[in-house]
Each structure stands twice: as C-alpha cells, then as structure tokens.
Amino acid sequence: AQSVTQLGSHVSVSEGALVLLRCNYSSSVPPYLFWYVQYPNQGLQLLLKYTTGATLVKGINGFEAEFKKSETSFHLTKPSAHMSDAAEYFCAVSGDAGNMLTFGGGTRLMVKP
Amino acid sequence: DAGVIQSPRHEVTEMGQEVTLRCKPISGHNSLFWYRQTMMRGLELLIYFNNNVPIDDSGMPEDRFSAKMPNASFSTLKIQPSEPRDSAVYFCATLPSGGGTEAFFGQGTRLTVV
C-alpha cells in the first residue's frame, strides 16, 4: 500500500532563509507525487507535481521539488522564504491505488521576520 | 469552471442532529473524494467514488457516516446522529480520469457539533 511520511510537523525559518520540507513515500508502482499548500481557512491547492520525465519539478511561488527514486524522497525547497509562505504543506502520492491520493501528515511552515 | 463547490461553508449543530454536507464536483471530473481534517488526526480520506460508484469507504469512521453520489454532479456526506467528536473541516476533492492528475479541493465545510 502507498504511504507518505513528512518529517517534522512544524518547521520554522527566518525570512530569506532556505526552506526545506521533507517527504518520503512508499509505493509498489512508479508513483505520482504532489505537494499541496493550505493557507488558513482555505482548501488545499496544488504547488507542484511529478508524474514522469524530469525529476526536478518547479511549482508556483518559487518552490521546487526533486524526485529521488533511490531515496524514495520528494523534498520541497525554496531558496528564500517569504512571510507569505507561512502555511501548511502536504505531500501526497498516488499510483498504487489508481487515482486515490494518500497524504502525509502535513508540515506547518512558520516564517520569522 | 467555478471549481469544486461545497456547502455549507460553516455548520453548527447540536449533538444528535443529522448533518448533510454537499459537494458539486468540477464538470467532467469522474473521481470524488471526501476528506476530514482535524488537528489531532490530520487529513483523513473517508471515501472515494469513481464514476459515481463508491470504490473505497474504509475510512468512514462508523455507521453514523454515509456518503452518496447519485449523479456525476453531486455528492453528499451525511452524519446521523452527529457527535461532538465529529467536529472537523470536511473537504471534497475531485479529479479527472487518467493517472498523474492532481485533485482539486473545495473550500471545505467547518462542522461544529455542540
């Protein structure tokens, strides 16, 4: 069965610092991988996704993630954090169970001025 | 398209009452998911429909919960009777057929059972 583990339920960075949110997955088939962001009182919106092809994928708001099959990872990064990046971030995988998405527990990103 | 539309946005009800949450998927999307989000348990998948048929309802917590999708443009999640521990934000998400497509989420319904 597919699963996702997000290391660190809370991450705090200073404005301008590197953002690194960790995601490891488990899947018995080549996975499709997603990062979603949730702002307060909002639904989830897609940041970026990996399906096939280039392993480094770029998303909205300057975020990117790299699919590393050997490490079963899909970590999310942004070179320089902005106050507006404060939100909860969810990693998700699909593939094992058709279109069914399995989400990680989420990481709340806090950005300090 | 207006996206996935959920109603109501907020619901406050008394314990024991019936609650019905509604979802209108994006036109043409044939997969629909109901999720529940709480601080304690995070985002939990309750049930997954494909072409209006329930495929996986293993996440439905108990018999008090039921979900239907009578047609491609409407789904409901019903709780009867409701309990305070059902208080959560309930999300509906839909996606089109084909692998690798992302799910589109509604704004959620914040349910408070007092």
Side-chain angles (χ1 to χ4, degrees):
Chain A
Q2 60 193 25
S3 66
V4 176
T5 301
Q6 291 183 240
L7 295 175
S9 58
H10 292 78
V11 169
S12 181
V13 301
S14 297
E15 192 172 20
L18 171 72
V19 176
L20 171 61
L21 305 184
R22 299 178 187 274
C23 171
N24 288 89
Y25 70 90
S26 171
S27 176
S28 61
V29 301
Y32 300 123
L33 295 159
F34 308 83
W35 274 100
Y36 283 83
V37 61
Q38 184 182 30
Y39 298 103
N41 300 315
Q42 303 266 328
L44 280 69
Q45 63 183 81
L46 184 72
L47 263 183
L48 49 80
K49 67 178 180 181
Y50 168 78
T51 54
T52 58
T55 56
L56 181 65
V57 292
K58 296 185 185 298
I60 61 171
N61 301 338
F63 284 93
E64 62 183 34
E66 186 170 12
F67 169 57
K68 292 188 176 179
K69 183 179 177 181
S70 61
E71 299 177 8
T72 61
S73 69
F74 191 57
H75 301 330
L76 181 71
T77 60
K78 182 174 179 178
S80 177
H82 192 271
M83 297 295 291
S84 60
D85 295 326
E88 187 148 21
Y89 293 80
F90 292 90
C91 183
V93 64
S94 71
D96 252 355
N99 280 339
M100 195 165 79
L101 272 177
T102 299
F103 283 88
T107 297
R108 184 168 298 278
L109 175 67
M110 294 165 283
V111 182
K112 299 174 291 186
Chain B
D1 202 307
V4 179
I5 299 173
Q6 291 187 246
S7 63
R9 288 293 311 275
H10 301 274
E11 176 82 28
V12 180
T13 191
E14 290 185 348
M15 182 174 63
Q17 296 298 305
E18 176 181 296
V19 175
T20 299
L21 312 182
R22 296 173 175 79
C23 175
K24 178 176 168 36
I26 293 173
S27 177
H29 285 198
N30 64 345
S31 293
L32 184 143
F33 306 83
W34 282 100
Y35 288 90
R36 177 172 67 175
Q37 187 178 36
T38 60
M39 289 291 291
M40 292 297 293
R41 301 173 69 92
L43 200 59
E44 304 173 273
L45 176 65
L46 300 178
I47 188 167
Y48 160 38
F49 290 90
N50 194 49
N51 292 322
N52 312 336
V53 176
I55 302 299
D56 185 344
D57 65 354
S58 59
M60 296 286 265
E62 48 198 276
D63 292 345
R64 297 185 298 106
F65 285 69
S66 62
K68 293 182 180 179
M69 192 164 186
N71 57 60
S73 59
F74 186 64
S75 177
T76 59
L77 177 68
K78 184 178 292 186
I79 308 172
Q80 166 63 21
S82 58
E83 297 182 3
R85 61 193 167 119
D86 302 330
S87 298
V89 181
Y90 291 81
F91 288 104
C92 175
T94 72
L95 54 82
S97 60
T101 50
E102 68 269 25
F104 292 80
F105 279 74
Q107 294 290 293
T109 295
R110 181 174 296 277
L111 174 65
T112 304
V113 183
V114 298

